[in-house]
Amino acid sequence: MDVVNIFLTSELGESLEDFVHDQRRFTFDRLGAEGPRRLVEGPMWAFVDWVMPELAGLEMCRRLRADARTADAHVTMVLEEDDPEDRRRALRAGADDYVIGPLTRTAVLDRVLALQSRGVERQPTRRFELGALTIDMAALQARWNEQPIVLRPNEFRLLRFLAENPNRVLTREDLINGLGKREPPIDERTVDVWIGRLRRAIKAAGGGNPLRTVRSLGYVFDLS
Amino acid sequence: MDVVNIFLTSELGESLEDFVHDQRRFTFDRLGAEGPRRLVEGPMWAFVDWVMPELAGLEMCRRLRADARTADAHVTMVLEEDDPEDRRRALRAGADDYVIGPLTRTAVLDRVLALQSRGVERQPTRRFELGALTIDMAALQARWNEQPIVLRPNEFRLLRFLAENPNRVLTREDLINGLGKREPPIDERTVDVWIGRLRRAIKAAGGGNPLRTVRSLGYVFDLS
DNA sequence: CAAGGGTGTGACGCGTTTGTGACTGGTTTT
DNA sequence: AAAACCAGTCACAAACGCGTCACACCCTTG
């Protein structure tokens, strides 16, 4: 079994060393402006805090990608607040996925172990986590508390777009455009059917209803 | 290409003018207690320091939002320390995002350029705060001290319009027009019912009564 | 080519929203 | 003091918006 090397920009490392029983499978290293302090082999996972002096989170992201030692690392951006623009910026800066913080010990290990057990390769995995909902862009799969949600392609795209803009009312037009539908012009009422199907799928996976209807306007993905 | 107008509360402006090569694309202005010194057109970006000599950053934030000249500006709050509570306060006061300071030239340009590349998505004020009342234009939700106010579409539009013109008597005609009702002509007495319903909704959320009746004239949103 | 699942659409029914007239209680004017 | 005026509230009917269903048309797969 490979050793997984975990880099963190916060103090969580020490706390994790106490927490994890089988330390041989992990190494922890504090991530500073100069990059990792140790040179390591094997899979690497970096958790980068968004909130650092001078927006260093994004900069750190770019450096990790540029640094040959860490170019292959799986980079998770830790956002403290949920801002769609920040999320986009994080991904553009080279992050593979992100979590809406605060980062907890279990959150870290959950993700690392989940990825490990699935035997995922190095390919960049885009993953969002919003409350109980997880969206895995690589596997094209969504989960509610680890419970898979069976979605048809269009429903997945819809969920993804909604989740990318949480707490924001999206009109039916927004959604049609957001899914890249243009020809032929889609009837706005069709969106209602999409939403209905998506809701049913989420409920079938034991999930709640994060999709709130805003009468006469559109729909919101409700975070929290 | 649009010109981006950048307001700063610190001395960074002069330093930036040296730094930026293509100055035609930017204007810089020092932001004082009285607001911007120049009246400008086009996208505006304000960087507000948390700690200011004359008045608190939060207050400045609110003034920018209340001032018609700068209501649409994208406001970035510059925090000296990373305090979650401060961050929340900044957003509540109308800031669109924040940076953990000290503010550097690259930080400023990073963000502004990111905004530009974002394209047309720029939307007017996302959120504003008046006393205990918060109106989130993105989520289309109103709160009284964090307590959500459940509003019907028309009530939300009404509250929004009233809150956009605080301390100003609005006639029933103003309100009808302000909500974009035209066909069929609305009976002015109907406004009374709207107000009544809105008041009840606010009260149901534990709120006070910011809507004052001005006999024989109309209604005012009382900012206190 | 047949079978099967995914997707858009029109139609139906239900619950919610909303404008209005009427009534009431209070205030100003005559 | 009476009359006129004005705003708050209620009940109700009509309009509206949404959820849902069945069906037809894909487009893929065997």
Side-chain angles (χ1 to χ4, degrees):
Chain A
M1 173 68 68
D2 258 353
V3 172
V4 179
N5 304 284
I6 302 179
F7 303 125
L8 297 127
T9 58
S10 62
E11 277 92 5
L12 209 59
E14 293 84 52
S15 149
L16 272 166
E17 295 196 7
D18 299 340
F19 190 66
V20 177
H21 318 294
D22 187 1
Q23 288 186 26
R24 284 163 308 165
R25 289 172 52 198
F26 302 98
T27 75
F28 297 96
D29 195 6
R30 184 69 186 280
L31 199 52
E34 356 48 55
R37 287 177 303 194
R38 295 183 261 181
L39 198 58
V40 297
E41 296 227 358
M44 290 172 282
W45 202 310
F47 289 85
V48 177
D49 284 299
W50 174 263
V51 187
M52 296 175 63
E54 305 192 24
L55 274 189
L58 283 181
E59 184 50 33
M60 171 70 78
C61 225
R62 286 191 205 98
R63 285 195 199 176
L64 287 171
R65 283 276 167 267
D67 189 332
R69 296 172 301 171
T70 53
D72 283 343
H74 186 108
V75 177
T76 295
M77 195 65 131
V78 183
L79 304 181
E80 299 241 322
E81 303 231 343
D82 171 42
D83 179 352
E85 197 46 42
D86 283 354
R87 272 182 276 126
R88 242 165 271 145
R89 253 177 254 154
L91 296 180
R92 252 192 273 128
D96 293 302
D97 63 359
Y98 60 82
V99 192
I100 310 293
L103 193 60
T104 60
R105 299 182 301 186
T106 50
V108 170
L109 295 181
D110 271 7
R111 317 197 111 227
V112 177
L113 292 173
L115 198 71
Q116 244 196 341
S117 68
R118 247 186 292 148
V120 170
E121 295 300 294
R122 181 108 322 130
Q123 37 166 316
T125 306
R126 306 248 137 138
R127 232 175 92 142
F128 313 88
E129 224 173 66
L130 298 122
L133 185 74
T134 309
I135 300 183
D136 187 330
M137 297 302 298
L140 291 182
Q141 226 201 12
R143 292 166 183 273
W144 188 278
N145 284 332
E146 305 302 312
Q147 188 66 223
I149 306 174
V150 288
L151 293 174
R152 289 177 277 229
N154 200 50
E155 286 154 27
F156 185 83
R157 258 174 281 150
L158 177 63
L159 176 58
R160 180 211 161 151
F161 188 69
L162 282 160
E164 276 176 347
N165 300 283
N167 286 338
R168 212 186 122 192
V169 177
L170 298 170
T171 65
R172 293 175 173 76
E173 196 190 339
D174 289 338
L175 293 170
I176 291 170
N177 292 335
L179 302 209
K181 312 252 185 186
R182 201 150 280 247
E183 311 282 345
I186 298 288
D187 188 324
E188 297 211 337
R189 287 303 313 282
T190 301
V191 175
D192 298 4
V193 183
W194 295 348
I195 295 281
R197 288 171 180 160
L198 179 51
R199 279 186 179 139
R200 200 188 313 162
I202 295 176
K203 182 181 252 176
N209 180 16
L211 275 38
R212 178 165 53 93
T213 305
V214 181
R215 193 169 226 266
S216 82
L217 285 172
Y219 299 90
V220 207
F221 184 102
D222 261 334
L223 196 59
S224 78
Chain B
M1 169 67 70
D2 260 353
V3 172
V4 180
N5 304 284
I6 302 180
F7 302 125
L8 296 129
T9 58
S10 61
E11 279 92 4
L12 207 58
E14 293 83 53
S15 149
L16 272 166
E17 296 197 6
D18 298 340
F19 189 66
V20 177
H21 318 292
D22 188 2
Q23 287 186 27
R24 285 163 306 165
R25 290 172 53 197
F26 302 97
T27 75
F28 298 95
D29 196 6
R30 184 69 186 280
L31 199 54
E34 355 49 57
R37 287 177 305 191
R38 293 183 263 181
L39 197 59
V40 297
E41 296 226 0
M44 290 171 280
W45 200 307
F47 289 84
V48 177
D49 283 300
W50 181 262
V51 187
M52 294 177 56
E54 307 163 48
L55 84 167
L58 282 181
E59 183 51 31
M60 170 68 80
C61 222
R62 282 192 208 96
R63 286 197 196 178
L64 287 172
R65 281 278 168 265
D67 188 332
R69 296 173 299 171
T70 52
D72 281 347
H74 187 107
V75 177
T76 295
M77 193 66 127
V78 183
L79 305 182
E80 300 234 323
E81 306 205 353
D82 173 34
D83 180 351
E85 199 42 49
D86 284 353
R87 268 182 274 128
R88 235 163 282 141
R89 245 175 273 160
L91 294 179
R92 252 188 277 127
D96 293 298
D97 62 359
Y98 56 86
V99 190
I100 311 297
L103 194 61
T104 60
R105 301 181 300 184
T106 50
V108 171
L109 295 182
D110 260 14
R111 312 206 118 222
V112 175
L113 291 174
L115 169 86
Q116 273 197 316
S117 70
R118 178 163 66 155
V120 272
E121 205 189 309
R122 214 174 74 77
Q123 10 170 266
T125 317
R126 301 181 68 105
R127 166 186 254 174
F128 53 110
E129 194 187 79
L130 300 118
L133 184 74
T134 311
I135 300 184
D136 185 334
M137 294 308 295
L140 293 180
Q141 240 194 7
R143 292 167 184 272
W144 187 278
N145 285 332
E146 305 300 309
Q147 189 66 222
I149 306 174
V150 289
L151 294 173
R152 287 176 275 223
N154 204 48
E155 287 153 27
F156 185 86
R157 260 173 276 150
L158 178 63
L159 177 58
R160 181 209 163 152
F161 188 69
L162 282 160
E164 274 175 349
N165 300 283
N167 288 337
R168 211 184 118 196
V169 179
L170 298 169
T171 66
R172 293 176 173 75
E173 195 190 340
D174 289 338
L175 293 169
I176 291 170
N177 292 334
L179 302 210
K181 310 254 185 185
R182 202 151 282 245
E183 312 280 345
I186 297 289
D187 187 325
E188 297 213 338
R189 288 304 315 282
T190 301
V191 175
D192 298 7
V193 184
W194 295 349
I195 295 281
R197 286 171 181 160
L198 179 51
R199 282 185 178 141
R200 199 188 315 164
I202 295 176
K203 181 180 256 177
N209 180 17
L211 276 38
R212 182 163 50 89
T213 306
V214 181
R215 198 182 160 88
S216 82
L217 282 175
Y219 299 90
V220 206
F221 183 100
D222 260 336
L223 195 58
S224 48

